[in-house]
Amino acid sequence: MTRRPARLIVSLAASAALGAAPAPSAIHLNQLGFLPDTAKRAIVADRSTQPLRWTVRDARGATVAAGETQVIGDDAASGDHVHLVDLGRVTAPGTYSLSVGGRTSRPFAVGAGLYRPLAAAALHYFYQTRAGIAIEPRYAGDPRWARPAGHAKEIAPCFSGKDERGTPWSGCDYRLDVTGGWYDAGDHGKYVVNGGIALWTLQDLYERDARAGRFPFADGRGNLPESGNGVDDLLDEARWEMRLLLAMQIPDGARATVPVGPARGAEAPAFRTIDAGGMAHQKVADRRWTALPTRPADDREDRLLYPPTTAATLNLAATAAQGARIWRTIDPRFSATCLAAARRAYAAALRHPQVFATSSFTGSGGYGDDDVSDEFYWAAAELYATTGEPEFAAALRGSPWHTAPVRAPDWGHVAALGTITLATAAGVSASEATPARAGLIAAADGFLAEEARSGYRIPYATLDYPWGSNAVILNRAMILGVAQRLTGAARYRDGMVDAIDYVLGRNPLDQSYVSGFGARPLTNPHHRFWAHQLDASLPGPPPGIVSGGPNSTAMADPIAAKMKGRCAPQRCWVDDIRAYALNEVAINWNAPLLWVASALDEPGARTTRRRR
Ligand code: 9MR
Ligand code: 9MR
């Protein structure tokens, strides 16, 4: 039992590695297949303006369902003229194929438990992206993903000297031991902003499952070095990052000279020397960009702490407060450490509410955000859910986010994380939980309404695909999953399926954006170690990792730049390691993949009763 998920991972990955991917099909559906009891839809790109006959055959060739397509028509997001096939009647487990308009699909599966291997692999990504520890063959899923520890003893000083704009920074008189945590993405930066949302999502998944008495990643199932320590493997993985965020907190009494207030155009605001104790550094990262490929252990750049920010401080406050309630009975000492850090961080953010990232350093990403009202709300919500103290309730109620419409979260928009906590955490008063639930359900209804305006029938009807669009869709799916839990209504689960169907192949490129899963999986992400495309001695990605996906709005890399203005939004993507604006992988993107895959693996979720 213990090693079962790992073996599954290996066999799936091996099958993906056999030979080249098949040519794209015009029949687009989830390449993993379908659960027996949810919506099952295929999209066919076909110019016909008349409905087309379709047939589904089982493995022996017998027709099990037939009908006519629904003509959706021209779709600007894909550039396709599309038809919808509703396969909802096919519920018996098995292998099928769909024929429509003279074409036949690749075989697809209907079965329960389809999402279990994906959820296990999506969690395992976080192990694979760990810093400060060797990735060992016995845990890696396959020896080719093993590697020596990267940044094994990371005791970093603060950046000092001039940044890219020539602005001088004075540094600090301490070093912090920030060994560990997760690398963010294809780069080796470790960012508190972004680490925060990823960590929150893992911790939230644990809380969600624990409330249902479900422990899919119970100790031993995650194939981690910590497996066997008596702690749930999902929590072991989360703690790996929690410890980094705790380590990024500035010691009491330390001072920092930082810009205070919003930027004035391109210019940084005036610098002031502040009492920075309790704040968190924005990131620890390389002084200069390293080349691709670079194995983590081969990075020779200076590793530096970059200036503290209010946003990073609140990411720490929120996730440590959330962690404190999760660990309360499992590891009371760690829980107390988390809570003390959260309180200290929140107090520091209140003292210094306007210290923003300048995004003026090379060598790592910016994650700059000048509006931290949502981070304040999120932190207050977590602290309130954990302590019930009136100060935090008052802060919540005074926030514009308390009554604002819920939008799906991303690293720079975190209010929904607080709202989900208020809606679902045990012990939150009804006066807070009830409106939070209503807000999330309204947001979920809005996402479902967008499906009718989307040619591929996904809960996202934009024509402006942002950097990391797949995660936008998966975070919307997470809100749909929350709504499904709150109401028991099947339509929200079906909406989650529509979202993940898109990510796993129901898209104009006929692409599974996830490595190791589906007939046409992601193979060449922008990554410094999984860089097989550049160096045949390096591996491709382990399974279960999602590409950022189509990006029609910030086509910053050289490959994307050439496609600019020439692709329909959902087609602005290519499976190329050089395309960092389109095809990077990242912790904040894999986290909702994990959350959604795990939620779809819940047995009997359709009949979940309304929670009170
Ligand atoms: O490799 C970097 C990737 O991880 C980041 O997401 C991206 C955006 O910040 O930047 C990439 O690095 C490129 C840098 O921005 C510009 N010079 C080339 C770098 C390597 O492709
Ligand atoms: O996800 C980030 C995206 O929203 C930004 O538009 C983009 C450019 O600033 O940066 C993305 O984050 C990258 C980070 O800066 C560095 N590590 C890789 C992240 C994913 O590409």
Side-chain angles (χ1 to χ4, degrees):
M1 186 67 225
T2 319
R3 295 287 180 262
R4 195 121 159 265
R7 267 212 301 278
L8 222 39
I9 290 169
V10 175
S11 63
L12 277 159
S15 68
L18 290 176
S25 162
I27 303 177
H28 302 145
L29 41 75
N30 184 328
Q31 294 171 18
L32 205 57
F34 300 103
L35 296 171
D37 63 349
T38 60
K40 291 173 204 65
R41 291 163 151 181
I43 296 287
V44 182
D46 189 292
R47 275 192 239 287
S48 166
T49 55
Q50 300 303 313
L52 301 166
R53 289 288 303 165
W54 60 261
T55 349
V56 171
R57 290 195 181 78
D58 66 15
R60 288 168 313 163
T63 299
V64 297
E68 285 198 340
T69 63
Q70 179 196 328
V71 184
I72 295 175
D74 285 330
D75 169 39
S78 61
D80 290 344
H81 184 270
V82 286
H83 293 230
L84 172 67
V85 181
D86 183 350
L87 303 166
R89 273 172 292 156
V90 186
T91 55
T95 304
Y96 302 93
S97 64
L98 166 65
S99 298
V100 54
R103 308 176 189 94
T104 297
S105 73
R106 293 183 296 266
F108 64 89
V110 172
L114 279 179
Y115 285 97
R116 194 159 310 156
L118 177 58
L123 173 59
H124 209 63
Y125 162 69
F126 292 89
Y127 169 68
Q128 304 272 6
T129 197
R130 282 188 189 186
I133 190 173
I135 303 306
E136 293 182 46
R138 63 192 155 141
Y139 305 123
D142 185 290
R144 73 193 133 133
W145 292 306
R147 56 175 172 81
H151 309 95
K153 227 180 177 339
E154 183 139 272
I155 301 172
C158 294
F159 179 95
S160 67
K162 287 189 176 166
D163 67 13
E164 272 190 320
R165 295 193 198 125
T167 306
W169 296 77
S170 57
C172 62
D173 57 10
Y174 56 86
R175 287 168 182 252
L176 295 181
D177 183 346
V178 292
T179 309
W182 299 322
Y183 297 122
D184 192 50
D187 63 320
H188 297 145
K190 303 190 296 192
Y191 307 78
V192 176
V193 170
N194 206 49
I197 184 172
L199 171 57
W200 179 92
T201 305
L202 267 63
Q203 292 188 150
D204 182 70
L205 177 60
Y206 176 83
E207 280 195 292
R208 171 194 171 95
D209 283 339
R211 278 193 299 274
R214 206 181 151 250
F215 297 94
F217 309 105
D219 186 34
R221 299 215 185 142
N223 197 29
L224 300 177
E226 296 82 6
S227 294
N229 68 354
V231 173
D232 188 279
D233 284 346
L234 175 56
L235 281 189
D236 279 326
E237 196 53 64
R239 176 145 69 174
W240 190 260
E241 181 73 357
M242 186 76 258
R243 285 200 174 114
L244 169 68
L245 266 52
L246 293 170
M248 294 289 282
Q249 192 166 32
I250 297 179
D252 279 338
R255 304 182 77 70
T257 303
V258 289
V260 177
R264 295 168 307 202
E267 227 181 292
F271 278 62
R272 285 197 214 140
T273 300
I274 60 169
D275 159 19
M279 292 188 80
H281 287 278
Q282 174 81 356
K283 59 187 171 185
V284 53
D286 291 325
R287 186 189 291 283
R288 292 174 302 179
W289 285 111
T290 58
L292 270 75
T294 298
R295 289 180 184 80
D298 296 344
D299 180 4
R300 294 290 167 264
E301 277 298 324
D302 294 338
R303 297 285 286 184
L304 303 168
L305 298 168
Y306 287 84
T309 62
T310 308
T313 305
L314 290 166
N315 270 263
L316 168 61
T319 51
Q322 180 195 26
R325 65 175 181 268
I326 292 172
W327 290 101
R328 193 143 46 200
T329 54
I330 305 167
D331 184 341
R333 274 190 61 189
F334 188 63
S335 164
T337 301
C338 288
L339 187 56
R343 289 183 187 279
R344 216 154 67 78
Y346 188 75
L350 285 178
R351 282 199 319 275
H352 305 299
Q354 290 203 77
V355 180
F356 304 127
T358 57
S359 302
S360 57
F361 302 97
T362 187
S364 56
Y367 287 125
D369 180 2
D370 284 12
D371 180 353
V372 293
S373 59
D374 53 322
E375 281 80 3
F376 268 110
Y377 168 81
W378 175 32
E382 299 299 345
L383 278 157
Y384 171 69
T386 299
T387 68
E389 290 168 16
E391 177 202 343
F392 304 120
L396 269 181
R397 292 183 191 130
S399 166
W401 295 101
H402 193 239
T403 49
V406 173
R407 67 172 275 175
D410 61 54
W411 64 262
H413 301 91
V414 292
L417 310 181
T419 304
I420 292 173
T421 289
L422 294 177
T424 59
V428 173
S429 68
S431 62
E432 291 307 327
T434 307
R437 290 173 186 175
L440 288 160
I441 293 166
D445 287 335
F447 300 154
L448 290 185
E450 286 187 44
E451 293 208 356
R453 288 184 272 127
S454 138
Y456 274 73
R457 293 295 189 254
I458 60 172
Y460 190 47
T462 188
L463 293 180
D464 296 319
Y465 271 62
W467 195 310
S469 63
N470 279 338
V472 174
I473 293 167
L474 289 167
N475 273 315
R476 286 175 167 226
M478 178 176 76
I479 302 243
L480 288 160
V482 171
Q484 181 251 317
R485 263 291 185 85
L486 292 172
T487 63
R491 63 181 179 280
Y492 299 121
R493 185 166 166 85
D494 287 345
M496 269 204 282
V497 169
D498 284 320
I500 206 157
D501 278 359
Y502 167 88
V503 170
L504 290 168
R506 195 175 93 203
N507 56 60
L509 300 175
D510 192 36
Q511 181 70 44
S512 165
Y513 289 109
V514 178
S515 56
F517 287 85
R520 292 169 41 77
L522 165 71
T523 52
N524 296 315
H526 182 80
H527 198 274
R528 280 167 171 72
F529 174 55
W530 304 322
H532 189 74
Q533 190 186 350
L534 296 177
D535 178 346
S537 74
L538 291 172
I545 310 179
V546 66
S547 164
N551 172 356
S552 65
T553 57
M555 303 180 75
D557 67 68
I559 304 288
K562 287 202 199 102
M563 299 171 74
K564 208 168 176 171
R566 294 162 196 257
C567 45
Q570 288 176 353
R571 290 175 178 272
C572 296
W573 185 83
V574 61
D575 192 2
D576 189 306
I577 192 168
R578 295 164 295 173
Y580 58 77
L582 316 179
N583 201 32
E584 195 157 356
V585 297
I587 53 174
N588 61 317
W589 302 339
N590 238 67
L593 174 68
L594 161 62
W595 197 107
V596 171
S598 189
L600 286 172
D601 190 43
E602 273 170 30
R606 251 205 160 190
T607 54
T608 309
R609 275 169 292 115
R610 182 180 253 280
R611 289 184 66 253
R612 269 289 87 201

